[in-house]
Amino acid sequence: MTPPMVRALELARLAAEAGEVPVGAVIVDPATGEIIAEGANRPIAGHDPTAHAEIMALRAAAARLGNYRLTGLDLYVTLEPCAMCAGAISFARIRRLVFAAGDEKGGAVVNGPRFFEQPTCHWRPEVVQDEAHADEAARQLKDFFRSRRS
């Protein structure tokens, strides 16, 4: 069985190959280790500014389970979620968020507005940074943007 963050990194690579910013996400049932859903960035292909990897994975998990509340599930994502994705993670009642690379510019979990620390946030997942995969996730992003500039 592929570890969740390794699969998320594979999805990020596939997103980059499709011309999308390389971010991948998987939703896992921690009781079984089963990947319930996955997603990769698709704003360009989907003509949808909300088609971030986390949103795609949340939508797929909700459709599969027939419930928008994903209580008890874990989300693994290669990049620290933005404010939009943090809001969706909270609304979905994700149990645990694991992200690899931090995002000083657009992140909203440990950087920026720190969404889950706001008094208006009604559901706060456990947050863990997967530092073992942070460098690889950051490298994917740097390589992608470097290739776009040259």
Side-chain angles (χ1 to χ4, degrees):
M1 183 183 303
T2 304
M5 190 61 77
V6 171
R7 178 61 182 152
L9 288 163
E10 290 172 3
L11 292 165
R13 180 184 52 78
L14 293 171
E17 289 173 4
E20 302 278 1
V21 174
V23 180
V26 297
I27 295 178
V28 175
D29 180 344
T32 64
E34 176 188 5
I35 292 178
I36 302 297
E38 55 186 39
N41 265 5
R42 292 188 38 81
I44 297 168
H47 309 292
D48 180 356
T50 69
H52 290 194
E54 301 95 320
I55 301 295
M56 301 307 291
L58 290 167
R59 288 175 181 164
R64 177 175 175 185
L65 299 175
N67 194 336
Y68 75 99
R69 294 234 170 124
L70 305 175
T71 307
L73 300 180
D74 296 348
L75 171 64
Y76 290 76
V77 62
T78 59
L79 182 65
E80 176 184 354
C82 69
M84 174 185 70
C85 292
I89 290 163
S90 177
F91 291 140
R93 308 290 198 273
I94 288 291
R95 180 186 82 100
R96 185 168 163 242
L97 165 66
V98 181
F99 69 91
D103 185 356
E104 292 181 12
K105 288 183 181 178
V109 176
V110 298
N111 289 291
R114 298 181 183 217
F115 186 90
F116 301 126
E117 295 177 20
Q118 299 307 310
T120 54
C121 178
H122 299 294
W123 180 267
R124 294 166 179 85
E126 174 189 355
V127 175
V128 177
Q129 185 170 9
D130 179 350
E131 296 189 16
H133 293 98
D135 288 343
E136 183 177 353
R139 182 190 48 74
Q140 283 184 340
L141 289 156
K142 287 176 189 168
D143 290 351
F144 176 81
F145 287 113
R146 185 178 306 115
S147 73
R148 305 285 283 195
R149 288 190 295 269
S150 50

